Structures are given as structure tokens and as C-alpha cells.
Amino acid sequence: MRFEYFAVPDDETAALTIDGGEIDGSVASHVVDPASVLGQLERLLGGPVGDDGLRSAQLVAESPDGARLVIRLSNHLVSLFGMVRPTTLDDVVRHWSLSRRFRRADPEDLNAFAAGLHELCKGSGLRVYCRATADEAELAAAMAPASAGLAGGDSDEPRPLPRRR
């Protein structure tokens, strides 16, 4: 998956990005998903401990083929992260990077991503969104069960979707 974070005035403007075109001023990641990983950040910053991360994100739009989603980040998360002082941002990232999700990620990549997201969250009066786009391989794997059934495959049983790495 590719996650692109951006700031625009409202849900309607954010939904226009579902076409997959370039988003000016966006911050990208292949690791930081808007629910579970940003939920971890929200808890680190003082959000609800029992939260499963889904309060951190709200679906705004979905492409007809399901390849792209536009998700609004919660006001609470945006506000908390926007209030982090630049001098303490490195400390926040260091603690956040201890998550097992980042074991394979480059620390510099997470620092650069966090700095960019921090800029989006700092009191601009805009809402912060994420456009999640499935990779070609993920789309092909997800479509395989339907294709196999149409081609007269051995079994009508659907295959499970591949696990994200």
C-alpha cells in the first residue's frame, strides 16, 4: 500500500483526490497506515489507551474498483500531533519507532515522514487526510479468486486475501 497524507479544507475536496492524480504538498509512506499505526501515535501522545486505532481515521471516499480510499484523520490526532514542539519531535519519533511495524523501516524515512505530517497538522485550519492506494500486486492477488472462478477453476471456494507485509 502507498499512503499519501495531505491537507485540504473539507471532505468534498479530499474526495476529489480519489482519481489517483498527484496531490500537491503530500507526505508519503508505505508503512504508516491511517488507522493502526497512527492510532499508536495517538496513544503515545495521550490518546485513549484502549483504542484499537480506528478512531484515528474515518472513510471519506472509495474508488469503484476498491484500489483507493480517502480517509480523514481525527481532529484529536491532528490537534495532538500539531502541538508537538519541534524540539521534542525526534523524541516522539524515537518512541513511536519502537513499534514492531517499523522494524523494517529506515529511521530516516520515519523522521522525514513525521516532520512532513507534523507540518500538515500544525494549525493551518485545514483537515488532514490520507489517500491509501493498493499496489498492483495487491490488486492482482485480490482479483485472483474472481478470475479463477470465471475461468472454470477447480473450486468455487474463495481464497483468502494475501497478508500485508
Side-chain angles (χ1 to χ4, degrees):
M1 294 288 285
R2 176 174 169 80
F3 304 103
E4 298 167 277
Y5 292 84
F6 60 98
V8 293
D10 53 44
D11 289 354
E12 292 76 23
T13 306
L16 296 175
T17 67
I18 201 70
D19 66 359
E22 190 171 327
I23 303 172
D24 290 334
S26 67
V27 180
S29 173
H30 285 282
V31 178
V32 183
D33 73 78
S36 64
V37 177
L38 284 185
Q40 293 168 351
L41 175 63
E42 186 171 12
R43 285 188 299 280
L44 181 65
L45 296 172
V49 175
D51 182 19
D52 60 3
L54 299 178
R55 291 179 40 174
S56 302
Q58 177 71 41
L59 182 66
V60 171
E62 181 176 355
S63 65
D65 62 358
R68 285 180 299 281
L69 305 173
V70 175
I71 300 155
R72 179 182 359 98
L73 303 189
S74 74
N75 289 337
H76 188 249
L77 171 62
V78 171
S79 174
L80 283 173
F81 197 52
M83 290 188 297
V84 171
R85 293 183 181 166
T87 55
T88 59
L89 187 58
D90 286 342
D91 289 334
V92 170
V93 171
R94 187 171 44 258
H95 289 288
W96 190 27
S97 71
L98 298 175
S99 163
R100 66 186 169 128
R101 190 66 182 248
F102 297 119
R103 285 183 189 156
R104 295 184 208 158
D106 241 350
E108 293 80 39
D109 290 346
L110 182 56
N111 283 320
F113 171 81
L117 183 62
H118 186 247
E119 286 300 315
L120 292 175
C121 292
K122 289 191 325 192
S124 64
L126 301 175
R127 306 285 315 254
V128 180
Y129 296 85
C130 174
R131 180 175 66 192
T133 305
D135 296 329
E136 293 294 325
E138 291 171 318
L139 289 175
M143 296 304 289
S147 320
L150 294 174
D154 295 325
S155 172
D156 289 335
E157 291 296 314
R159 288 181 253 154
L161 292 175
R163 291 182 160 262
R164 284 190 20 208
R165 297 176 201 180

